[in-house]
Amino acid sequence: MSNKYVSYEPTRSMIYVDCADEDSRIKLQYWLYRTHIPDSISQFGPYVTKYAFYNALPVPPDGERFGTIKMQLTEHNWMVNHLDPRTLNKILTEVMPPEVLVWQNNMPASALNGGNMDGDDFRKTTGGNVPFIFAHVPLWWEDDVKGKERTINDGPNYRWNFCISYPKSDLYPIENGDKWLFEEVFPVFEKMPECTRIVSSKVIKDINECPMDRMVEMWFDGPTNWHKCIEACASVKKPEWAQTDVFPYLKPYYNIIGAFVTDYPTSDNLTQYHGYITMR
């Protein structure tokens, strides 16, 4: 048995769920709440301690260039590695129609071929306008950059949760990207009173080969203050590996992807879900 399964430590994960268009939103929500929540809890109930959906807030001005998704963040806290070979003999197959990947903007409609998909293959899908990003980080944030004194009495938080992947080559290793982030980007936000919290962790790649390098969360009072901070980032040094001419200098959705959410989950599924009970 590989040591990465035996020595596994609990992790937190985020799935960045986009929405192809408004016609897809209602179909995606129907599948998520009617089928996927009970199906998922049946699969991993014994070894997940948090399973929550956070509806994505409206995309703020200029948010598209930061790869902002439009449906939801899905959060898990894992007590085991869900890709450990010992977990793969499941008693039931997940209901994963490929149409869901079209609604999520992960696959073009032209690629549909009917049937049901294996859950792990579903979560590895590429080829759409937006990649399927399933990022695992340590259960606790590794880097506490700003705002550790903040409490729940300080008001609501407009949370910007995002992942980045630095363009890599022999000349530009991941360490160079982190150096740029910590020495050029974070100091701008640290100086801005409109940004109240900054935390970050490296993405754990060997769980599911996630292409992202780092997860970051920044808090603001709302989209206006977020945008004020983004305007201040025009002074951020352009890295040598830049993919675009404007900050954040990364390809949206592929090298930076994220969402704006509130503190409070739309559905904390393990404690709040009681079935698909419709409006009468």
Coordinates of all heavy atoms in Angstrom, one line a residue, residues 148-231:
K148 N -5.8 38.1 11.1 CA -6.1 37.0 12.0 C -6.9 37.4 13.2 O -7.5 36.6 13.9 CB -4.8 36.3 12.4 CG -3.9 37.2 13.3 CD -2.5 36.5 13.5 CE -2.6 35.1 14.0 NZ -1.3 34.5 14.1
E149 N -7.0 38.7 13.5 CA -7.8 39.2 14.7 C -9.2 39.3 14.4 O -10.0 39.6 15.3 CB -7.2 40.5 15.2 CG -7.4 41.7 14.3 CD -6.5 41.8 13.0 OE1 -5.6 41.0 12.9 OE2 -6.8 42.6 12.1
R150 N -9.7 39.1 13.2 CA -11.1 39.4 12.8 C -12.0 38.3 13.5 O -11.6 37.1 13.6 CB -11.2 39.3 11.3 CG -12.6 39.8 10.8 CD -12.5 40.1 9.3 NE -13.8 40.5 8.8 CZ -14.2 41.8 8.8 NH1 -13.4 42.7 9.3 NH2 -15.4 42.1 8.3
T151 N -13.2 38.8 13.9 CA -14.2 37.9 14.5 C -15.5 37.9 13.8 O -15.7 38.8 12.9 CB -14.4 38.3 16.0 OG1 -15.2 39.5 16.1 CG2 -13.1 38.5 16.7
I152 N -16.4 37.1 14.2 CA -17.8 37.1 13.6 C -18.5 38.3 13.9 O -19.5 38.6 13.2 CB -18.6 35.8 14.0 CG1 -18.8 35.7 15.5 CG2 -17.9 34.6 13.4 CD1 -19.7 34.6 15.9
N153 N -18.1 39.1 14.9 CA -18.8 40.3 15.3 C -18.4 41.5 14.4 O -18.9 42.6 14.6 CB -18.6 40.6 16.8 CG -19.3 39.7 17.7 OD1 -20.3 39.1 17.3 ND2 -18.7 39.4 18.9
D154 N -17.4 41.3 13.6 CA -16.9 42.4 12.7 C -17.7 42.5 11.4 O -17.4 43.4 10.6 CB -15.4 42.1 12.4 CG -14.5 42.3 13.6 OD1 -14.7 43.3 14.3 OD2 -13.6 41.5 13.7
G155 N -18.8 41.8 11.3 CA -19.6 42.0 10.2 C -19.5 40.9 9.1 O -18.6 40.0 9.2
P156 N -20.3 40.9 8.1 CA -20.3 39.9 7.0 C -19.0 40.1 6.1 O -18.5 41.2 6.1 CB -21.6 40.2 6.2 CG -21.8 41.6 6.4 CD -21.4 41.9 7.8
N157 N -18.6 39.0 5.5 CA -17.4 39.0 4.7 C -17.8 38.6 3.3 O -18.4 37.6 3.0 CB -16.4 38.1 5.3 CG -16.0 38.4 6.7 OD1 -15.5 39.5 6.9 ND2 -16.4 37.6 7.6
Y158 N -17.3 39.4 2.3 CA -17.4 39.2 0.9 C -16.2 38.4 0.6 O -15.1 38.9 0.4 CB -17.5 40.5 0.1 CG -17.6 40.4 -1.4 CD1 -18.9 40.1 -2.0 CD2 -16.6 40.7 -2.2 CE1 -19.0 40.0 -3.3 CE2 -16.7 40.7 -3.6 CZ -17.9 40.4 -4.1 OH -18.0 40.4 -5.5
R159 N -16.3 37.0 0.5 CA -15.2 36.2 0.4 C -14.8 35.9 -1.1 O -15.7 35.4 -1.8 CB -15.4 34.9 1.1 CG -15.7 35.0 2.6 CD -15.7 33.7 3.3 NE -15.9 33.8 4.7 CZ -15.4 33.0 5.6 NH1 -14.7 31.9 5.2 NH2 -15.6 33.1 6.9
W160 N -13.6 36.1 -1.4 CA -13.1 35.8 -2.7 C -12.1 34.6 -2.6 O -11.0 34.7 -2.1 CB -12.3 37.0 -3.3 CG -11.8 36.8 -4.7 CD1 -12.3 36.0 -5.7 CD2 -10.6 37.4 -5.2 NE1 -11.5 36.1 -6.8 CE2 -10.5 37.0 -6.6 CE3 -9.7 38.3 -4.7 CZ2 -9.4 37.4 -7.4 CZ3 -8.7 38.8 -5.6 CH2 -8.5 38.3 -6.9
N161 N -12.6 33.4 -2.9 CA -11.9 32.2 -2.9 C -11.4 31.8 -4.3 O -12.3 31.7 -5.2 CB -12.7 31.1 -2.3 CG -11.9 29.7 -2.2 OD1 -11.7 29.1 -3.2 ND2 -11.6 29.3 -1.0
F162 N -10.1 31.6 -4.5 CA -9.6 31.4 -5.8 C -8.4 30.5 -5.8 O -7.7 30.4 -4.8 CB -9.4 32.6 -6.6 CG -8.3 33.5 -6.1 CD1 -7.0 33.5 -6.5 CD2 -8.6 34.5 -5.1 CE1 -6.0 34.3 -6.0 CE2 -7.6 35.3 -4.6 CZ -6.3 35.2 -5.1
C163 N -8.2 29.8 -6.9 CA -7.0 29.0 -7.1 C -6.2 29.5 -8.3 O -6.7 30.1 -9.3 CB -7.3 27.5 -7.4 SG -7.7 26.5 -6.0
I164 N -4.9 29.4 -8.2 CA -4.0 29.9 -9.3 C -3.0 28.8 -9.7 O -2.7 27.9 -8.8 CB -3.2 31.1 -8.9 CG1 -2.4 31.0 -7.6 CG2 -4.1 32.3 -8.8 CD1 -1.6 32.2 -7.2
S165 N -2.7 28.8 -10.9 CA -1.7 27.9 -11.5 C -0.7 28.7 -12.2 O -1.0 29.4 -13.2 CB -2.3 26.8 -12.4 OG -1.3 26.0 -13.0
Y166 N 0.6 28.7 -11.8 CA 1.6 29.5 -12.5 C 2.0 28.8 -13.8 O 2.2 27.6 -13.8 CB 2.8 29.7 -11.6 CG 2.5 30.2 -10.2 CD1 2.7 29.4 -9.1 CD2 2.0 31.5 -10.0 CE1 2.5 29.9 -7.8 CE2 1.8 32.0 -8.7 CZ 2.0 31.2 -7.6 OH 1.7 31.6 -6.4
P167 N 2.2 29.6 -14.9 CA 2.9 29.0 -16.0 C 4.3 28.5 -15.7 O 5.0 29.2 -15.0 CB 3.0 30.2 -17.0 CG 1.9 31.1 -16.5 CD 1.9 31.0 -15.1
K168 N 4.6 27.2 -16.0 CA 5.8 26.6 -15.5 C 6.7 26.2 -16.7 O 6.3 25.8 -17.7 CB 5.4 25.4 -14.7 CG 4.9 25.8 -13.3 CD 4.4 24.6 -12.5 CE 3.0 24.1 -13.0 NZ 1.9 25.1 -12.7
S169 N 8.0 26.3 -16.4 CA 9.0 25.8 -17.3 C 10.3 25.7 -16.4 O 10.3 26.0 -15.2 CB 9.3 26.8 -18.4 OG 9.9 28.0 -18.0
D170 N 11.4 25.2 -17.0 CA 12.6 25.1 -16.3 C 13.1 26.5 -15.8 O 13.7 26.6 -14.8 CB 13.7 24.5 -17.2 CG 13.5 23.0 -17.5 OD1 12.7 22.4 -16.7 OD2 14.0 22.5 -18.5
L171 N 12.7 27.5 -16.5 CA 13.1 28.9 -16.2 C 12.2 29.5 -15.1 O 12.6 30.4 -14.3 CB 13.1 29.8 -17.4 CG 14.1 29.5 -18.5 CD1 13.9 30.5 -19.7 CD2 15.5 29.7 -17.9
Y172 N 11.0 29.0 -15.0 CA 10.0 29.6 -14.1 C 9.3 28.5 -13.3 O 8.2 28.1 -13.5 CB 8.9 30.4 -14.9 CG 9.5 31.4 -15.9 CD1 9.2 31.3 -17.2 CD2 10.3 32.4 -15.5 CE1 9.7 32.2 -18.1 CE2 10.9 33.3 -16.4 CZ 10.6 33.2 -17.7 OH 11.1 34.1 -18.6
P173 N 10.0 28.0 -12.2 CA 9.4 27.0 -11.4 C 8.3 27.6 -10.5 O 8.2 28.8 -10.4 CB 10.6 26.5 -10.5 CG 11.5 27.7 -10.5 CD 11.4 28.4 -11.8
I174 N 7.6 26.7 -9.8 CA 6.5 27.1 -9.0 C 7.0 28.1 -7.9 O 6.3 29.1 -7.6 CB 5.8 25.9 -8.3 CG1 5.1 25.1 -9.3 CG2 4.9 26.3 -7.1 CD1 4.5 23.8 -8.7
E175 N 8.2 27.9 -7.4 CA 8.7 28.8 -6.4 C 8.8 30.2 -6.8 O 8.6 31.2 -6.0 CB 10.1 28.3 -5.9 CG 10.1 27.0 -5.2 CD 9.9 25.8 -6.1 OE1 10.0 25.9 -7.3 OE2 9.5 24.7 -5.5
N176 N 9.1 30.4 -8.1 CA 9.1 31.8 -8.6 C 7.7 32.4 -8.6 O 7.6 33.6 -8.3 CB 9.7 31.8 -10.1 CG 11.2 31.6 -10.1 OD1 11.8 31.3 -9.2 ND2 11.8 31.9 -11.3
G177 N 6.7 31.6 -8.9 CA 5.3 32.1 -8.9 C 5.0 32.5 -7.5 O 4.4 33.6 -7.2
D178 N 5.3 31.7 -6.5 CA 5.0 32.0 -5.1 C 5.7 33.3 -4.6 O 5.2 34.1 -3.9 CB 5.3 30.8 -4.2 CG 4.2 29.9 -4.0 OD1 3.0 30.2 -4.4 OD2 4.4 28.8 -3.5
K179 N 7.0 33.4 -5.1 CA 7.7 34.6 -4.7 C 7.1 35.9 -5.2 O 6.9 36.9 -4.5 CB 9.1 34.5 -5.3 CG 10.1 35.7 -5.0 CD 11.4 35.4 -5.6 CE 12.3 36.6 -5.4 NZ 12.6 36.9 -4.0
W180 N 6.5 35.8 -6.5 CA 5.8 37.0 -7.0 C 4.5 37.2 -6.2 O 4.2 38.4 -5.9 CB 5.5 36.7 -8.5 CG 4.6 37.6 -9.2 CD1 4.9 38.9 -9.6 CD2 3.2 37.5 -9.4 NE1 3.8 39.5 -10.2 CE2 2.7 38.7 -10.1 CE3 2.3 36.4 -9.2 CZ2 1.4 38.8 -10.5 CZ3 1.0 36.6 -9.6 CH2 0.5 37.8 -10.2
L181 N 3.8 36.2 -5.9 CA 2.5 36.3 -5.2 C 2.8 37.0 -3.8 O 2.1 37.9 -3.4 CB 1.8 35.0 -5.0 CG 0.5 35.0 -4.3 CD1 -0.6 35.6 -5.2 CD2 0.0 33.6 -4.0
F182 N 3.8 36.5 -3.1 CA 4.0 36.9 -1.7 C 4.7 38.3 -1.6 O 4.5 39.0 -0.7 CB 4.7 35.9 -0.9 CG 3.9 34.7 -0.4 CD1 3.5 33.7 -1.2 CD2 3.4 34.8 0.9 CE1 2.7 32.7 -0.7 CE2 2.6 33.7 1.4 CZ 2.2 32.7 0.6
E183 N 5.5 38.5 -2.6 CA 6.3 39.8 -2.5 C 5.8 40.9 -3.4 O 6.1 42.1 -3.1 CB 7.8 39.5 -3.0 CG 8.5 38.5 -2.0 CD 9.9 38.3 -2.5 OE1 10.4 39.0 -3.4 OE2 10.6 37.4 -1.8
E184 N 4.9 40.6 -4.4 CA 4.4 41.7 -5.2 C 2.9 41.9 -5.1 O 2.4 43.0 -5.1 CB 4.7 41.3 -6.7 CG 6.2 41.1 -7.0 CD 7.0 42.4 -6.9 OE1 6.4 43.5 -7.0 OE2 8.2 42.3 -6.8
V185 N 2.2 40.8 -4.9 CA 0.7 40.9 -4.9 C 0.1 41.1 -3.5 O -0.6 42.0 -3.3 CB 0.1 39.6 -5.6 CG1 -1.5 39.7 -5.5 CG2 0.6 39.5 -7.0
F186 N 0.5 40.2 -2.6 CA -0.1 40.3 -1.3 C 0.2 41.6 -0.6 O -0.7 42.1 0.1 CB 0.4 39.1 -0.4 CG -0.3 37.8 -0.7 CD1 0.3 36.6 -0.1 CD2 -1.4 37.7 -1.5 CE1 -0.3 35.4 -0.4 CE2 -2.0 36.5 -1.7 CZ -1.5 35.3 -1.1
P187 N 1.4 42.2 -0.7 CA 1.6 43.5 -0.1 C 0.7 44.6 -0.5 O 0.4 45.5 0.3 CB 3.1 43.8 -0.5 CG 3.7 42.5 -0.7 CD 2.7 41.6 -1.3
V188 N 0.2 44.6 -1.8 CA -0.7 45.6 -2.2 C -2.0 45.4 -1.4 O -2.6 46.4 -0.9 CB -1.0 45.5 -3.7 CG1 -2.1 46.4 -4.2 CG2 0.3 45.7 -4.5
F189 N -2.5 44.2 -1.3 CA -3.8 44.0 -0.6 C -3.6 44.2 0.9 O -4.5 44.7 1.6 CB -4.3 42.5 -0.8 CG -4.8 42.3 -2.2 CD1 -4.0 41.9 -3.2 CD2 -6.2 42.6 -2.5 CE1 -4.6 41.7 -4.5 CE2 -6.7 42.4 -3.7 CZ -5.9 42.0 -4.7
E190 N -2.4 43.9 1.5 CA -2.2 44.1 2.9 C -2.3 45.6 3.2 O -2.8 46.0 4.3 CB -0.8 43.6 3.3 CG -0.7 42.1 3.3 CD 0.7 41.7 3.8 OE1 1.0 41.7 5.0 OE2 1.5 41.3 2.9
K191 N -1.8 46.5 2.3 CA -1.9 47.9 2.6 C -3.2 48.5 2.4 O -3.5 49.6 2.9 CB -0.9 48.6 1.6 CG 0.6 48.3 1.9 CD 1.4 48.9 0.8 CE 2.9 48.6 1.0 NZ 3.7 49.1 -0.1
M192 N -4.1 47.8 1.8 CA -5.5 48.3 1.5 C -6.4 48.0 2.7 O -6.7 46.9 2.9 CB -6.0 47.8 0.2 CG -5.2 48.1 -1.1 SD -5.3 49.8 -1.6 CE -7.0 49.8 -2.2
P193 N -7.0 49.0 3.3 CA -7.9 48.7 4.4 C -9.2 48.0 4.0 O -9.8 47.4 4.8 CB -8.2 50.1 5.0 CG -7.9 51.1 3.9 CD -6.8 50.5 3.2
E194 N -9.5 48.2 2.7 CA -10.7 47.5 2.1 C -10.5 46.0 2.1 O -11.5 45.3 2.1 CB -10.9 48.0 0.7 CG -11.4 49.4 0.6 CD -10.2 50.4 0.7 OE1 -9.0 50.0 0.7 OE2 -10.5 51.6 0.7
C195 N -9.3 45.5 2.2 CA -9.1 44.0 2.3 C -8.9 43.7 3.7 O -7.9 44.2 4.3 CB -7.9 43.6 1.4 SG -7.5 41.9 1.5
T196 N -9.7 42.8 4.3 CA -9.7 42.6 5.7 C -9.0 41.2 6.1 O -8.7 41.0 7.3 CB -11.1 42.6 6.3 OG1 -11.9 41.6 5.6 CG2 -11.7 44.0 6.1
R197 N -8.9 40.3 5.1 CA -8.3 39.0 5.5 C -7.6 38.4 4.3 O -8.1 38.5 3.1 CB -9.5 38.1 5.9 CG -9.0 36.8 6.6 CD -8.7 37.1 8.1 NE -8.5 35.9 8.9 CZ -7.3 35.4 9.1 NH1 -6.2 36.0 8.6 NH2 -7.1 34.4 9.9
I198 N -6.5 37.8 4.5 CA -5.8 37.1 3.5 C -5.2 35.8 4.1 O -4.4 35.8 5.1 CB -4.6 37.9 2.9 CG1 -5.1 39.2 2.4 CG2 -3.9 37.1 1.8 CD1 -3.9 40.1 1.9
V199 N -5.6 34.6 3.5 CA -5.0 33.3 3.9 C -4.7 32.5 2.6 O -5.3 32.8 1.6 CB -6.0 32.6 4.8 CG1 -6.0 33.2 6.2 CG2 -7.4 32.5 4.2
S200 N -3.8 31.6 2.7 CA -3.5 30.8 1.5 C -2.9 29.5 1.9 O -2.3 29.3 3.0 CB -2.4 31.6 0.7 OG -2.0 30.9 -0.4
S201 N -3.0 28.5 1.0 CA -2.3 27.2 1.2 C -1.9 26.7 -0.2 O -2.5 27.0 -1.2 CB -3.3 26.2 1.8 OG -3.6 26.5 3.1
K202 N -0.9 25.8 -0.2 CA -0.5 25.1 -1.4 C -1.5 24.0 -1.7 O -2.0 23.3 -0.8 CB 0.9 24.5 -1.3 CG 2.0 25.5 -1.3 CD 3.4 24.8 -1.2 CE 4.5 25.8 -1.2 NZ 5.8 25.2 -1.1
V203 N -1.9 23.8 -2.9 CA -2.8 22.7 -3.3 C -2.0 21.4 -3.2 O -0.8 21.3 -3.7 CB -3.3 22.9 -4.8 CG1 -4.0 21.7 -5.3 CG2 -4.2 24.2 -4.8
I204 N -2.6 20.4 -2.7 CA -2.0 19.1 -2.5 C -2.3 18.3 -3.9 O -3.4 17.9 -4.1 CB -2.7 18.3 -1.4 CG1 -2.5 19.1 -0.1 CG2 -2.0 16.9 -1.2 CD1 -3.3 18.5 1.1
K205 N -1.3 18.2 -4.6 CA -1.4 17.7 -6.0 C -1.5 16.2 -6.1 O -2.1 15.6 -7.0 CB -0.3 18.2 -6.9 CG -0.3 19.7 -7.1 CD 0.9 20.1 -7.9 CE 0.7 21.5 -8.4 NZ -0.3 21.7 -9.5
D206 N -0.9 15.4 -5.2 CA -0.8 14.0 -5.3 C -2.1 13.2 -5.0 O -2.1 12.0 -5.1 CB 0.4 13.4 -4.6 CG 0.3 13.6 -3.1 OD1 -0.7 14.2 -2.6 OD2 1.2 13.1 -2.4
I207 N -3.1 14.0 -4.5 CA -4.4 13.3 -4.3 C -5.1 13.0 -5.6 O -5.5 11.9 -5.8 CB -5.3 14.1 -3.3 CG1 -4.6 14.2 -1.9 CG2 -6.7 13.6 -3.2 CD1 -5.4 15.0 -0.9
N208 N -5.3 14.0 -6.4 CA -6.0 13.8 -7.7 C -5.4 14.5 -8.8 O -6.1 14.8 -9.8 CB -7.5 14.3 -7.5 CG -7.6 15.8 -7.2 OD1 -6.6 16.4 -6.8 ND2 -8.7 16.4 -7.4
E209 N -4.1 14.9 -8.7 CA -3.4 15.5 -9.8 C -4.0 16.8 -10.2 O -4.0 17.2 -11.4 CB -3.2 14.6 -11.0 CG -2.5 13.3 -10.7 CD -2.4 12.3 -11.8 OE1 -3.0 12.6 -12.9 OE2 -1.7 11.3 -11.7
C210 N -4.5 17.6 -9.3 CA -5.1 18.9 -9.6 C -4.1 19.8 -10.3 O -2.9 19.8 -9.8 CB -5.6 19.5 -8.3 SG -6.3 21.2 -8.5
P211 N -4.4 20.5 -11.3 CA -3.4 21.3 -12.0 C -3.1 22.6 -11.3 O -2.2 23.3 -11.7 CB -4.1 21.6 -13.4 CG -5.6 21.5 -13.1 CD -5.7 20.5 -12.0
M212 N -3.9 23.0 -10.3 CA -3.7 24.3 -9.6 C -2.6 24.2 -8.6 O -2.3 23.1 -8.1 CB -5.0 24.8 -9.0 CG -6.2 24.8 -9.9 SD -5.9 25.6 -11.5 CE -6.0 27.3 -11.1
D213 N -1.9 25.3 -8.3 CA -0.8 25.3 -7.4 C -1.1 25.8 -6.0 O -0.5 25.4 -5.1 CB 0.4 26.2 -8.0 CG 0.9 25.6 -9.3 OD1 1.1 24.4 -9.4 OD2 1.2 26.4 -10.2
R214 N -2.0 26.8 -6.0 CA -2.2 27.5 -4.7 C -3.7 27.9 -4.6 O -4.3 28.4 -5.6 CB -1.3 28.7 -4.5 CG -1.4 29.4 -3.2 CD -0.3 30.4 -3.0 NE 1.0 29.7 -2.6 CZ 1.3 29.3 -1.4 NH1 0.4 29.5 -0.4 NH2 2.4 28.7 -1.1
M215 N -4.3 27.8 -3.4 CA -5.6 28.4 -3.1 C -5.4 29.6 -2.2 O -4.6 29.6 -1.2 CB -6.5 27.3 -2.4 CG -7.9 27.8 -2.1 SD -8.9 26.6 -1.2 CE -9.0 25.2 -2.4
V216 N -6.2 30.6 -2.5 CA -6.1 31.9 -1.7 C -7.5 32.3 -1.4 O -8.5 32.1 -2.1 CB -5.4 33.0 -2.6 CG1 -5.4 34.3 -1.8 CG2 -4.0 32.6 -3.0
E217 N -7.7 32.9 -0.2 CA -8.9 33.5 0.2 C -8.7 34.9 0.7 O -7.9 35.1 1.6 CB -9.7 32.7 1.2 CG -11.2 33.1 1.3 CD -12.1 32.1 1.9 OE1 -12.2 31.0 1.3 OE2 -12.6 32.4 3.0
M218 N -9.4 35.9 0.1 CA -9.3 37.3 0.6 C -10.8 37.7 0.9 O -11.7 37.4 0.2 CB -8.7 38.2 -0.5 CG -7.3 37.9 -0.9 SD -6.7 39.1 -2.1 CE -5.0 38.5 -2.3
W219 N -10.9 38.6 1.9 CA -12.2 39.1 2.3 C -12.3 40.6 2.1 O -11.3 41.3 2.3 CB -12.5 38.8 3.8 CG -12.5 37.3 4.1 CD1 -12.3 36.3 3.3 CD2 -12.6 36.8 5.5 NE1 -12.4 35.1 4.0 CE2 -12.6 35.4 5.3 CE3 -12.9 37.4 6.7 CZ2 -12.7 34.6 6.5 CZ3 -13.0 36.5 7.8 CH2 -12.9 35.1 7.7
F220 N -13.5 41.1 1.8 CA -13.8 42.5 1.7 C -15.2 42.7 2.2 O -15.9 41.8 2.6 CB -13.7 42.8 0.2 CG -12.5 42.4 -0.5 CD1 -12.4 41.1 -1.1 CD2 -11.4 43.2 -0.7 CE1 -11.2 40.6 -1.7 CE2 -10.2 42.8 -1.3 CZ -10.1 41.5 -1.8
D221 N -15.6 44.0 2.3 CA -16.9 44.3 2.7 C -17.9 44.1 1.6 O -19.1 44.1 1.9 CB -17.0 45.8 3.2 CG -16.3 46.0 4.5 OD1 -16.1 45.0 5.2 OD2 -15.9 47.1 4.9
G222 N -17.5 44.1 0.4 CA -18.4 43.9 -0.8 C -17.7 44.1 -2.1 O -16.4 44.4 -2.1
P223 N -18.4 44.0 -3.2 CA -17.7 44.1 -4.5 C -17.1 45.5 -4.8 O -16.1 45.5 -5.6 CB -18.8 43.8 -5.5 CG -20.1 44.0 -4.7 CD -19.8 43.7 -3.3
T224 N -17.6 46.5 -4.3 CA -17.0 47.8 -4.5 C -15.6 47.9 -4.0 O -14.7 48.4 -4.6 CB -17.9 49.0 -3.9 OG1 -19.2 48.9 -4.6 CG2 -17.3 50.3 -4.2
N225 N -15.5 47.5 -2.7 CA -14.1 47.5 -2.1 C -13.2 46.5 -2.8 O -12.0 46.7 -2.8 CB -14.2 47.2 -0.6 CG -14.7 48.5 0.2 OD1 -14.6 49.6 -0.3 ND2 -15.1 48.3 1.4
W226 N -13.7 45.3 -3.2 CA -12.9 44.4 -4.0 C -12.3 45.1 -5.2 O -11.1 45.0 -5.5 CB -13.7 43.2 -4.4 CG -12.9 42.3 -5.3 CD1 -12.0 41.3 -4.9 CD2 -13.0 42.2 -6.7 NE1 -11.5 40.7 -6.1 CE2 -12.1 41.2 -7.2 CE3 -13.8 42.9 -7.7 CZ2 -11.9 40.9 -8.5 CZ3 -13.6 42.6 -9.0 CH2 -12.7 41.7 -9.4
H227 N -13.2 45.8 -5.9 CA -12.8 46.4 -7.2 C -11.8 47.5 -6.9 O -10.8 47.7 -7.7 CB -14.0 47.0 -7.9 CG -13.7 47.2 -9.4 ND1 -13.3 48.4 -9.8 CD2 -13.7 46.4 -10.5 CE1 -13.1 48.4 -11.1 NE2 -13.3 47.2 -11.5
K228 N -11.9 48.2 -5.8 CA -11.0 49.3 -5.5 C -9.6 48.7 -5.3 O -8.6 49.3 -5.7 CB -11.4 50.0 -4.2 CG -10.5 51.2 -3.8 CD -11.1 51.9 -2.6 CE -10.2 53.2 -2.2 NZ -10.8 53.9 -1.1
C229 N -9.5 47.5 -4.6 CA -8.2 46.9 -4.4 C -7.6 46.4 -5.8 O -6.4 46.4 -6.0 CB -8.4 45.7 -3.5 SG -8.7 46.2 -1.8
I230 N -8.5 45.9 -6.6 CA -8.1 45.4 -7.9 C -7.5 46.5 -8.7 O -6.5 46.4 -9.4 CB -9.2 44.7 -8.7 CG1 -9.6 43.4 -8.0 CG2 -8.8 44.4 -10.1 CD1 -8.5 42.4 -7.7
E231 N -8.1 47.7 -8.7 CA -7.6 48.9 -9.4 C -6.2 49.2 -8.9 O -5.3 49.6 -9.6 CB -8.5 50.1 -9.2 CG -9.8 49.9 -10.0 CD -10.8 51.1 -9.7 OE1 -10.7 51.6 -8.6 OE2 -11.6 51.4 -10.6

